[in-house]
Amino acid sequence: MAVGVMDIEGGGASLPGKTTFQVVMCSIIAAVGGLMFGYDIGISGGVTSMDTFLLDFFPHVYEKKHRVHENNYCKFDDQLLQLFTSSLYLAGIFASFAASFLCRRFGRKPVIMSASIFFLLGAILNYFARDLGMLIGGRILLGFGIGFGNQTVPLFISEIAPPRIRGGLNIAFQLLITIGILAASFVNYLTSTMKNGWRYSLGGAAVPALILLIGSFFIHETPASLIERGKDEEGKKVLRKIRGIDNIELEFNEIKRATEISNKVKTPFKELFTKSENRPPLVCGTLLQFFQQFTGINVVMFYAPVLFQTMGSGNNASLVSTVVTNGVNALATVFAVIMVDRLGRKFFLVEGATQMMATQITIGALLLKYLHLVGPITSHAVPLIVLILICIYVSGFAWSWGPLGWLIPSEIYQLEVRTSGYFCAVAMNMVCTFVIGQFFLSALCRFRSGLFFFFAVMNVIMGLFAIFFLPETRGVPIEDMAEQRWKKHWHWKKYFKQN
């Protein structure tokens, strides 16, 4: 079944082919890895605000939360509580490093399957947790699932997608992250009043894991991975299926040329760090993930219920606010799926940074004026205004740095360093997410509303980075990215040998 004809914008030879049902379905199934990631992001903040969860594992935090005269900014400042959230991302760093080697040796498909198994085991362990050790152990298994999935899924989609719609298909990963976050906020709302409701919230992570596990039996391995591992005929067969035509020689020859170069590289990490031509994508891909996390988004995604409770909202009211915020997140990501291959990557990055900067400054100013150290906000309008501002902020992230932080690093590396280069981007994501997850509540306690001004400044810096240092990658075949973009960029061209 063909649903469109493939062409290429941005120059270079056209590659014949169609946008087939197989490509779309394989991309959607693989993108369920994003559903797992999103569900965990969304579930963590809600669970850590539940009284039953705090009573079972962090009774001292529960007592502090309910003290009338407790500092508003410090109610949830506890390193072990933050470790519950952040331990997953520490495990994810090691998992993504392992996955970068496993992807190259065994292919993308078995690594995606392994991601679902790790995540499923972590969900089961968390559901049955009786002490903090079991809880953290489950989080570490979830982290291995996230590390394997985040390392592999965007690469998988970029390698099977036709260039014309590569952006939209790849953003399906981010779209399912947002849907996972939204689903988690609904689950948290429904379970917040149940006895041991936190078990159902954490155990619910098994659902996306099972979907991915079953779906992974039906996806094709990518042609680039098959050809890289010497399976040329199988690679041709898959190319014919996913392109919907018999004449795949031109694309096969391009992949074959790239794999011949790739197979000469025995130490991809050494090649990545020592060869000057790899420096532009390495710097840009890694910085994109660094900036993505320092937009301040995880402040909202991890701790939205905590943040709304800090402003004086009740537990249920804070969870409803989180559902609204996450609904906006999902809808804005749909807009990105539709428009990213029309308006381009840079447009969304600059617009998103500007929008987030303006809302962070406004939220910081409101908290500075109205949220005192002790006691709730006296104005009933302020929490509503902050909710609206957070929705505007989240929409800016959801159609820019959210999806593009994953998309662009997956499409800018040459094949010989693709998995190792993409690992650096994923590792940066995990490191920054760990740091924010582990220390945000402590930083909120010490810097209070000033934290939002810090993230506003970071948005200014990342907007300037996108304008001056990031080439537009829309519509360019990933094997031609160096020739068509990096070698022509005003700054990065100096890293390539002149012929």
Side-chain angles (χ1 to χ4, degrees), residues 172-405:
F173 177 71
Q174 177 68 21
L175 176 61
L176 284 176
I177 290 177
T178 65
I179 291 173
I181 295 170
L182 178 61
S185 61
F186 273 114
V187 171
N188 278 335
Y189 178 70
L190 293 173
T191 61
S192 61
T193 56
M194 295 180 185
K195 183 181 179 181
N196 293 326
W198 61 268
R199 292 191 186 276
Y200 301 106
S201 291
L202 296 179
V207 175
L210 283 170
I211 295 172
L212 182 60
L213 179 59
I214 295 168
S216 63
F217 286 98
F218 299 96
I219 62 177
H220 299 294
E221 182 58 86
T222 71
S225 177
L226 289 167
I227 296 165
E228 184 180 29
R229 291 178 288 126
K231 301 179 180 181
D232 289 10
E233 291 306 314
E234 196 174 342
K236 285 183 177 181
K237 184 179 178 181
V238 172
L239 264 178
R240 292 188 182 98
K241 282 183 179 180
I242 65 176
R243 297 293 177 252
I245 58 171
D246 290 325
N247 180 23
I248 45 82
E249 292 303 319
L250 181 59
E251 186 171 1
F252 172 79
N253 289 335
E254 286 201 6
I255 296 173
K256 185 67 176 176
R257 174 181 56 81
T259 57
E260 287 173 352
I261 297 171
S262 172
N263 288 331
K264 291 177 182 177
V265 176
K266 303 303 179 184
T267 53
F269 279 96
K270 181 179 178 181
E271 183 85 359
L272 177 68
F273 289 109
T274 59
K275 198 171 181 181
S276 64
E277 295 96 302
N278 293 322
R279 201 160 302 151
L282 174 63
V283 171
C284 289
T286 306
L287 280 179
L288 275 165
Q289 281 289 355
F290 172 83
F291 285 138
Q292 185 201 63
Q293 296 311 301
F294 279 89
T295 57
I297 187 61
N298 282 331
V299 171
V300 175
M301 293 296 107
F302 283 156
Y303 298 118
V306 171
L307 189 61
F308 287 123
Q309 282 192 36
T310 294
M311 292 187 299
S313 302
N315 189 47
N316 280 348
S318 72
L319 289 171
V320 170
S321 299
T322 306
V323 171
V324 172
T325 302
N326 292 335
V328 171
N329 189 21
L331 289 174
T333 306
V334 173
F335 179 73
V337 171
I338 297 169
M339 299 303 296
V340 70
D341 287 311
R342 300 181 186 182
L343 298 178
R345 282 55 160 161
K346 290 186 69 167
F347 169 82
F348 280 109
L349 290 173
V350 175
E351 191 282 331
T354 305
Q355 186 169 326
M356 289 186 288
M357 177 268 297
T359 51
Q360 290 275 22
I361 289 174
T362 311
I363 292 169
L366 283 171
L367 294 182
L368 181 64
K369 183 174 181 180
Y370 291 103
L371 183 60
H372 305 296
L373 292 182
V374 177
I377 290 177
T378 54
S379 170
H380 295 294
V382 172
L384 178 60
I385 294 170
V386 171
L387 173 61
I388 293 169
L389 287 168
I390 285 178
C391 287
I392 296 170
Y393 164 82
V394 165
S395 66
F397 175 84
W399 60 50
S400 63
W401 291 84
L404 297 180

Side-chain angles (χ1 to χ4, degrees), residues 124-160:
I124 293 170
L125 189 58
N126 272 175
Y127 177 82
F128 289 105
R130 292 290 182 268
D131 53 47
L132 192 57
M134 288 182 69
L135 198 66
I136 300 298
R139 297 289 294 171
I140 290 171
L141 285 172
L142 292 171
F144 272 85
I146 293 298
F148 272 48
N150 287 8
Q151 171 67 26
T152 312
V153 169
L155 288 179
F156 175 90
I157 296 173
S158 285
E159 288 182 344
I160 66 168

